[in-house]
């Protein structure tokens, strides 16, 4: 699970104007008046290992409404494809589905998920941008399950030995690598890693790079904005990371887990990932060589702290599911403040509840919470479009061409500008 207080409120997920062609009145009515019985919960692979325990807790108190976990592939693109296939065949195999926040518009516009009763969720306690991310035309279709943004994991033991602090800019990051990687203690290490494989993680990483240079992928008017100096500076940061050797060549195939394993094996000085890595990398069971040797900070940018991407997995009810009243209650259970605290304590899943970021007990246990909050205050959403699959595929293809040296960065951005403009115009 890869899940993400006041500035981010304004960074609600963008629903581009072109999606207005879909009629939200055709979506199913709220599911509160439907039946009860066993349900299924379709979610990505649980790398935290704590999800089944929550399901067991639900099942113990709901013996006639038991939930069964259906694990989807670990990569977001594959999850989305499987969920869409299920919806297009009107299958009732999935009851509750976990959706990336950027998929809300697509699934709601196509009538694949039911509207949720907004008044039955404690939205006044939840970070407003996360609530807005679950809405389509002002109606709630997905319930916030958590919130997060990209964080920079740094080997602070090595930085301190070199007399350095965690970097706030790309230049500081590369300068730190130039100095630290010459130290005997850093023999065999690489500088930086992120999610650069050809999947949704690459869309997240390029969005962060462009936003962190002061640009955007899609503007507030819903039109692509990639033929700008800022967009080129963002892409060039990633391209030059490969051409100048700051990023290991193999990282062009990395997703979150591949990079996490490299960082935990002591192979990276810096790694961009979500908050879930914090607990895993601090395990003292022999699975991590860096436990107690790292810290986190907001991601760096061109001229100062960067803009992480808002990421969240929200919960929705399939339009074609049975026992949707049980499903609604299950979603309330899974998105409750009690469950959010449990997930925070057991897997460092960042919560949707604003007050938890300032909870003294949680801050004492998870020192990264203030950094995560700072990152959230400066975070930005991915551009959400109804034809998200087409848009993210275009982004991945053109950015991969640039990272692999097949196209110059300006040529890749021009091609992507044209492709996104056509996709958005034909929604």
């Amino acid at each position: 699970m890869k899940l993400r207080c006041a500035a981010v409120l304004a960074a609600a997920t963008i629903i581009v104007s072109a999606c207005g062609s879909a009629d939200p009145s055709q979506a199913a009515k709220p599911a509160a008046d439907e039946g009860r019985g066993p349900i299924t919960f379709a979610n990505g692979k649980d790398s935290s290992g704590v999800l089944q325990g929550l399901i067991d807790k639900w099942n113990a108190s709901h013996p006639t409404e038991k939930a069964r976990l259906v694990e989807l592939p670990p990569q977001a693109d594959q999850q989305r494809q499987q969920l869409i296939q299920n919806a297009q065949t009107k299958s009732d195999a999935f009851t509750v589905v976990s959706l990336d926040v950027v998929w809300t518009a697509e699934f709601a516009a196509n009538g694949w998920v039911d509207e949720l009763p907004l008044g039955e969720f404690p939205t006044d306690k939840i970070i407003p941008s996360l609530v807005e991310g679950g809405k389509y035309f002002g109606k709630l279709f997905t319930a916030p399950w958590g919130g997060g943004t990209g964080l920079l994991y740094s080997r602070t033991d090595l930085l301190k030995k070199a007399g350095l602090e965690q970097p706030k800019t790309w230049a500081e990051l590369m300068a730190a690598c130039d100095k630290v990687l010459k130290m005997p203690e850093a023999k065999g290490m690489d500088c930086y890693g992120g999610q650069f494989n050809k999947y949704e993680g690459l869309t997240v990483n390029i969005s962060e790079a462009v936003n962190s240079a002061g640009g955007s992928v899609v503007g507030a008017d819903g039109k692509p904005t990639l033929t700008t100096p800022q967009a080129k500076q963002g892409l060039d940061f990633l391209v030059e990371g490969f051409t100048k050797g700051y990023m290991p060549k193999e990282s062009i195939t990395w997703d979150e887990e591949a990079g996490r394993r490299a960082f935990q094996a002591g192979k990276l000085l810096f790694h961009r990932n979500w908050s879930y890595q914090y607990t895993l990398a601090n395990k003292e069971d022999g699975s991590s060589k860096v436990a107690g040797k790292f810290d986190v900070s907001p991601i760096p940018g061109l001229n100062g702290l960067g803009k992480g991407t808002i990421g969240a997995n929200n919960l929705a009810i399939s339009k074609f599911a049975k026992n949707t009243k049980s499903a609604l209650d299950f979603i309330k259970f899974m998105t409750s403040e009690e469950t959010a605290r449990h997930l925070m304590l057991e897997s460092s899943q960042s919560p949707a509840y604003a007050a938890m970021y300032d909870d003294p007990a949680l801050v004492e246990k998870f020192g990264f919470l203030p950094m995560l909050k700072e990152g959230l205050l400066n975070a930005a959403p991915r551009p959400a479009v109804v034809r998200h699959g087409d848009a993210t595929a275009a982004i991945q293809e053109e950015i991969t061409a640039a990272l692999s040296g097949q196209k110059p960065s300006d040529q890749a951005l021009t091609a992507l500008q044209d492709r996104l403009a056509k996709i958005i115009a034909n929604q």
Side-chain angles (χ1 to χ4, degrees), residues 149-151 153 195 256 260 271-277:
T149 189
L151 293 169
Y153 288 76
Q195 294 76 53
E256 286 87 353
R260 177 184 69 81
H271 184 224
R272 180 263 177 229
N273 210 345
W274 309 94
S275 64
Y276 86 101
Q277 178 171 290

Side-chain angles (χ1 to χ4, degrees), residues 108-132:
N110 284 289
W112 294 334
V113 291
D114 276 326
E115 181 191 348
L116 299 176
L118 180 62
E120 296 186 27
F121 291 88
T123 54
D124 58 324
K125 297 181 180 181
I126 298 173
I127 296 172
S129 64
L130 301 181
V131 177
E132 291 305 311

Side-chain angles (χ1 to χ4, degrees), residues 159-177:
L159 291 177
K160 289 177 181 177
K161 193 173 184 67
L164 301 172
E165 297 181 350
Q166 290 163 282
K168 293 183 174 63
T169 67
W170 295 333
E172 289 177 1
L173 183 148
M174 290 183 285
C177 289

Side-chain angles (χ1 to χ4, degrees), residues 152-167 176-177 180-181 183-191 262-271 277 281-282 288-297:
L152 182 70
Y153 288 76
S154 306
R155 284 290 302 276
T156 45
D157 60 327
L158 298 178
L159 291 177
K160 289 177 181 177
K161 193 173 184 67
L164 301 172
E165 297 181 350
Q166 290 163 282
C177 289
V180 172
L181 296 184
M183 296 165 47
E185 297 89 343
K187 184 178 180 180
M189 292 181 66
D190 285 301
C191 175
F263 183 78
Q264 288 183 201
K267 296 180 179 180
L268 290 173
L269 181 59
F270 299 109
H271 184 224
Q277 178 171 290
N282 261 325
S288 177
K289 294 182 179 180
V290 301
K293 298 179 181 180
F294 70 91
D295 209 340
V296 300
S297 61

Side-chain angles (χ1 to χ4, degrees), residues 28-41:
K29 294 181 179 180
D33 59 349
E34 299 297 330
R36 292 191 176 277
I39 59 175
T40 57
F41 175 32

Side-chain angles (χ1 to χ4, degrees), residues 343-424:
L343 288 169
M344 181 78 243
L345 290 170
E346 296 299 323
S347 66
S348 65
Q349 175 178 307
S350 47
Y353 292 86
M356 293 178 65
Y357 289 89
D358 300 310
D359 185 303
L362 291 176
V363 172
E364 182 178 0
K365 184 174 177 63
F366 301 101
F368 72 88
L369 274 178
M371 295 297 100
L372 179 57
K373 181 178 180 179
E374 185 177 357
L376 279 168
L377 286 169
N378 203 36
R382 275 167 289 170
V385 299
V386 173
R387 289 177 59 189
H388 176 75
D390 294 335
T392 194
I395 292 170
Q396 293 164 30
E397 288 170 8
E398 297 299 338
I399 300 307
T400 295
L403 297 184
S404 61
Q406 298 174 42
K407 287 184 179 181
S409 58
D410 53 353
Q411 183 179 333
L413 289 171
T414 298
L416 182 55
Q417 172 86 8
D418 293 341
R419 292 179 66 177
L420 288 181
K422 292 176 181 176
I423 290 167
I424 292 171

